[in-house]
Amino acid sequence: MRCAAIWLLVAYAIPSPAQVVADAGVVRAGVSFDIPQAYSTPDGEAAGFFVDVLREAARAEGIHLQVIVGRTPPDVFLESGAGEIWIAAVGTPERQRKFHVTEPWWILETYLAVLQSSGAESARALAGKRVLYSASPPFSLPPAVFLPGATVVAESNVQARFEALCGKRADGVVFHETDVPRLLSGPEFQVCKPDIRIIPIDPPVRQLSMLALRSHAKVADRLRERIEQMKREGTIERLPSFRVTGNELWRSQLDEQRRLSTQRLWQVGLLCAALLAAGALIAYARLRAAHEQVRRSLDTAQEAARAKQEFLATMSHEIRTPVTAVLGASELLSHSNLEGAQREYVEAIHRSARSLLTLLNDVIDWSRIESGRFSVDQAVFEMGPLLEDVKANVVLAARAKGIALQIQGLQGTYEGDPGAIRQVLLNFVSNAVKFTHQGAVTVRVEEISRDGKTARVRAEVSDTGVGISEQAQKALFQRFNRGDVQAFRSYEGSGLGLAISKELVERMGGAIGFESRSGQGSQFWFEVPLLVAEGREVPQGAGGEGEDMPRLSILVVEDNEVNSLLIRRLLTRLGHDVESAADGIQALERLEAGRFDLVFMDCLMPGMDGFDATVALRKRGMKTPVVALTASALDADRRRCHEVGMDGFLTKPVLLSDLARAIRQFGLGAREQG
């Protein structure tokens, strides 16, 4: 049953649009003047299909983009410092040596025009024939590949090419989709238009990439990734400037030309006015229909997003509730007098429950990242205790496998996101222990540079494990990827950990990577900028389970009897006096009858829930600290707890160390003030 629930969670963790690039300043992007893909409006604004696509991608990524339309070649544009990115160009070998070239993001449809009377039905039929083409922009493939055996002659003017075809001085003409508007407006084409056959050229011979200065390679790659996502989601097709490609484009342009020609024949004012009125009505009707379709599509997408969030919230709550009992019971048992075999059984239960919790947290984290609600926090922290915490989480697993765990840690106080750094390090170290059967796992953290108050910190995790094959390395940081599935089938995990780590590091402004050889171990690393915070006070909240902690009076509000019992036992083990309530009404009665230093409040309970109870508590003037102790783990749950007046937020299941930190942060402060 538990496996089925987890599989459902993974299946519903559908990616949704997200902002994944931080503000990169103003990025100047150039593009060639080529109607309808790119042109300037009368007021000087850049417009066209390519411009719209890049602007939409930049908007989604949070990049301030300035588009420059001109006739300067892309190489000159970038080398002269006029801009940092060229929107659409063929990535020739020479350009790859000079600039960063992304993977192709658009295919410029290319066609071969022949006369119907020639009987040619494919490019191969022109072997030994004379074919005219334009060498600029360059082709991704040499003409000899897609015009085998033909005599290929360069002619840059598309109208001159068709004039030669109609005059039978050429047997074929190569052109691409952006030539169509100029072609249809030229008199040369009109001479033999009825006798022309259009043949699409396959495979694509003009694949357009983005060119970027090396300093802006990451920005260009992110824009290209966003465009691919827009293709999958259908965003590009909804752009007003979107134009169909292939034969549909050709036919639509011919139909448009015929319509315009027909209109020019009719000069009678009344009939012309009637046609214009009819056209306006049709256009209005189509616009209304398109608008309605867009509205329905948006409603459907929003409903799907809401359903996904509701499903994740429900499944998270329903799974965390029993896992709380399993983890709590196993932790209490581990502190009791157990024989050797019994202790092994308890540790196995505890490890399995922690693995299930890690899987659940990974799915929730990825959903937050994809929805754009995952933010980086800033706090002052000490690196030494953070590394010790990472070590404490994996030392038992390493010891059970006979693996040496070595921490060569950096000491010092910094400002950054300690939670994100800990999560990435813990993922690296957990993976290293998981895939290492003998030898050692070494963690090394050091400053590699310092500029004023900013230090660049590098963390490396090396192991002597199974390593990663070259094939598996290609997609290692992609979501749901687990390397070689056959080789790693026996290892647990969702395949989300490294993808989440990559997102976290990049959101902190850092870089991430690895080196590995199959059978010889791996080294994973990341670098992040951190502010040096020497001499600044580190927020309290850390510490041992109960050392130097005064005895507090604590109220646990929990409707689940098993969870209530276990939480009370954990708090009692920490040395505190504990009472319980089964719902919000009982909690208010207990609080009015006696003085408590701290309240651990479940949120979803029958009768009066934790939210309403906290609101009522604050309205009565009670300032007792309230910490949410809930199986609801989404950001919306955390925000709602804060809005109703709760002081802290803990997600079930909790360990002794989690409760101790919450008591130090909220309970002790309240007692001192009281």
Side-chain angles (χ1 to χ4, degrees):
M1 182 68 181
R2 186 171 61 192
C3 293
I6 294 303
W7 276 110
L8 281 172
L9 270 176
V10 174
Y12 272 78
I14 304 171
S16 59
Q19 179 180 347
V20 297
V21 176
D23 184 15
V26 177
V27 178
R28 296 171 298 171
V31 62
S32 293
F33 183 93
D34 197 357
I35 298 174
Q37 312 292 14
Y39 57 93
S40 296
T41 62
D43 58 359
E45 275 290 314
F49 175 59
F50 285 175
V51 176
D52 290 349
V53 171
L54 263 292
R55 279 178 174 161
E56 177 63 19
R59 183 199 62 76
E61 292 293 330
I63 297 173
H64 187 185
L65 192 72
Q66 176 188 356
V67 181
I68 302 169
V69 179
R71 301 185 186 274
T72 305
D75 305 63
V76 176
F77 178 86
L78 294 174
E79 290 174 338
S80 66
E84 293 77 34
I85 290 178
W86 189 264
I87 292 177
V90 175
T92 62
E94 181 181 358
R95 286 172 175 167
Q96 291 175 3
R97 287 191 294 269
K98 295 191 294 185
F99 311 110
H100 174 75
V101 179
T102 69
E103 291 293 321
W105 68 271
W106 194 255
I107 294 174
L108 205 58
E109 297 288 349
T110 307
Y111 303 90
L112 176 65
V114 298
L115 296 179
Q116 296 272 12
S117 56
S118 70
E121 295 183 355
S122 68
R124 293 186 177 277
L126 295 180
K129 305 291 186 180
R130 189 170 186 264
V131 179
L132 304 183
Y133 80 113
S134 174
S136 178
F139 290 102
S140 304
L141 299 173
V145 174
F146 58 90
L147 293 170
T151 302
V152 182
V153 180
E155 172 53 65
S156 60
N157 189 302
V158 64
Q159 293 176 352
R161 276 178 265 156
F162 273 85
E163 183 179 15
L165 177 65
C166 293
K168 298 187 178 180
R169 298 189 302 276
D171 301 291
V173 168
V174 175
F175 67 102
H176 58 80
E177 62 185 65
T178 58
D179 291 326
V180 173
R182 294 191 297 272
L183 180 60
L184 292 176
S185 62
E188 297 82 2
F189 176 72
Q190 308 304 320
V191 176
C192 59
K193 180 174 66 176
D195 191 36
I196 288 180
R197 169 180 291 168
I198 305 301
I199 302 172
I201 292 179
D202 190 51
V205 296
R206 278 201 173 106
Q207 302 185 55
L208 302 181
S209 304
M210 272 182 269
L211 311 182
L213 299 179
R214 302 291 183 188
S215 60
H216 284 66
K218 182 177 177 181
V219 176
D221 286 338
R222 287 297 178 188
L223 286 171
R224 190 262 177 191
E225 291 174 8
R226 173 60 63 174
I227 291 172
E228 291 302 311
Q229 184 175 341
M230 290 164 59
K231 291 179 185 177
R232 294 191 297 270
E233 296 170 350
T235 305
I236 289 181
E237 296 179 4
R238 295 193 292 270
L239 293 175
S241 58
F242 173 73
R243 299 172 58 81
V244 295
T245 59
N247 290 327
E248 292 178 359
L249 170 64
W250 181 253
R251 286 196 294 269
S252 67
Q253 293 289 354
L254 289 178
D255 292 341
E256 178 68 5
Q257 180 64 21
R258 294 190 188 100
R259 188 182 67 83
L260 293 175
S261 298
T262 301
Q263 286 182 355
R264 284 194 293 268
L265 294 175
W266 295 91
Q267 299 298 322
V268 180
L270 183 60
L271 181 56
C272 187
L275 289 174
L276 288 174
L281 289 174
I282 293 172
Y284 177 73
R286 289 179 177 176
L287 182 61
R288 286 287 302 272
H291 181 271
E292 181 64 21
Q293 179 63 33
V294 170
R295 188 192 63 77
R296 287 197 298 267
S297 299
L298 287 174
D299 290 345
T300 301
Q302 291 170 355
E303 181 61 31
R306 283 194 295 269
K308 171 188 168 184
Q309 290 301 312
E310 291 174 3
F311 175 81
L312 286 175
T314 301
M315 293 305 297
S316 173
H317 186 277
E318 294 306 313
I319 293 174
R320 286 177 188 275
T321 298
V323 171
T324 299
V326 175
L327 272 176
S330 61
E331 185 166 23
L332 287 171
L333 280 172
S334 68
H335 291 288
S336 63
N337 296 323
L338 297 175
E339 297 178 358
Q342 293 173 331
R343 184 167 298 279
E344 289 180 3
Y345 298 152
V346 170
E347 289 178 353
I349 293 172
H350 197 73
R351 284 197 304 272
S352 298
R354 291 292 294 268
S355 297
L356 181 61
L357 179 61
T358 299
L359 174 60
L360 181 62
N361 288 337
D362 283 349
V363 173
I364 297 298
D365 283 348
W366 187 256
S367 175
R368 291 168 62 200
I369 288 172
E370 285 293 314
S371 63
R373 291 191 294 269
F374 202 105
S375 60
V376 175
D377 299 324
Q378 288 291 114
V380 178
F381 68 97
E382 293 180 354
M383 187 66 74
L386 185 148
L387 296 177
E388 287 300 319
D389 185 50
V390 170
K391 181 179 180 180
N393 275 272
V394 296
V395 66
L396 292 180
R399 189 179 301 160
K401 299 179 72 173
I403 300 169
L405 181 59
Q406 303 169 354
I407 305 287
Q408 301 174 10
L410 173 70
Q411 301 297 320
T413 305
Y414 298 91
E415 181 178 350
D417 190 335
I421 294 172
R422 176 186 179 277
Q423 185 171 349
V424 177
L425 263 177
L426 188 56
N427 177 258
F428 282 4
V429 178
S430 298
N431 283 345
V433 172
K434 182 193 305 182
F435 295 114
T436 301
H437 303 297
Q438 60 181 359
V441 172
T442 303
V443 181
R444 182 181 295 104
V445 181
E446 60 182 350
E447 274 191 25
I448 59 175
S449 66
R450 182 178 289 200
D451 182 10
K453 286 293 186 179
T454 302
R456 192 163 185 86
V457 176
R458 179 181 176 93
E460 298 176 353
V461 178
S462 305
D463 65 61
T464 57
V466 298
I468 307 167
S469 67
E470 291 186 7
Q471 182 65 29
Q473 291 181 21
K474 297 177 181 178
L476 197 60
F477 286 104
Q478 295 181 6
R479 63 184 184 274
F480 305 119
N481 180 66
R482 301 185 63 219
D484 185 336
V485 176
Q486 287 297 118
F488 299 148
R489 189 179 298 276
S490 60
Y491 299 101
E492 60 190 21
S494 65
L496 282 172
L498 288 177
I500 293 172
S501 296
K502 182 174 184 290
E503 292 289 340
L504 289 176
V505 170
E506 291 180 351
R507 285 171 183 265
M508 289 187 286
I512 190 170
F514 70 97
E515 297 175 2
S516 181
R517 295 185 65 182
S518 183
Q520 299 183 26
S522 305
Q523 181 190 83
F524 281 78
W525 60 267
F526 68 90
E527 297 176 3
V528 290
L530 298 174
L531 294 177
V532 178
E534 295 174 356
R536 295 177 60 182
E537 183 179 355
V538 179
Q540 296 299 312
E545 291 180 357
E547 66 231 27
D548 301 327
M549 187 183 296
R551 194 180 192 91
L552 302 183
S553 178
I554 299 175
L555 177 64
V556 175
V557 187
E558 168 65 65
D559 65 309
N560 186 289
E561 294 182 4
V562 176
N563 286 343
S564 178
L565 172 65
L566 290 170
I567 294 168
R568 294 200 313 270
R569 293 287 175 85
L570 289 171
L571 292 170
T572 301
R573 180 172 179 80
L574 290 174
H576 303 293
D577 297 324
V578 186
E579 294 186 27
S580 65
D583 57 34
I585 295 176
Q586 289 186 15
L588 292 175
E589 293 173 352
R590 298 278 196 281
L591 287 164
E592 288 180 340
R595 183 183 183 280
F596 292 91
D597 299 300
L598 183 64
V599 178
F600 285 108
M601 180 81 73
D602 188 17
C603 293
L604 301 181
M605 296 178 291
M608 179 182 284
D609 62 23
F611 302 114
D612 292 339
T614 304
V615 171
L617 180 72
R618 299 306 183 215
K619 285 183 177 179
R620 298 181 187 186
M622 299 183 186
K623 298 181 179 180
T624 307
V626 178
V627 176
L629 185 57
T630 175
S632 302
L634 300 184
D635 288 341
D637 305 312
R638 186 183 299 269
R639 287 195 299 272
R640 187 179 179 191
C641 289
H642 177 73
E643 289 168 357
V644 300
M646 294 186 184
D647 301 275
F649 186 92
L650 285 180
T651 303
K652 297 176 184 176
V654 292
L655 304 176
L656 275 171
S657 56
D658 301 323
L659 294 171
R661 278 194 292 269
I663 292 170
R664 285 184 177 276
Q665 185 174 358
F666 302 105
L668 295 184
R671 165 166 284 198
E672 291 171 0
Q673 293 175 3

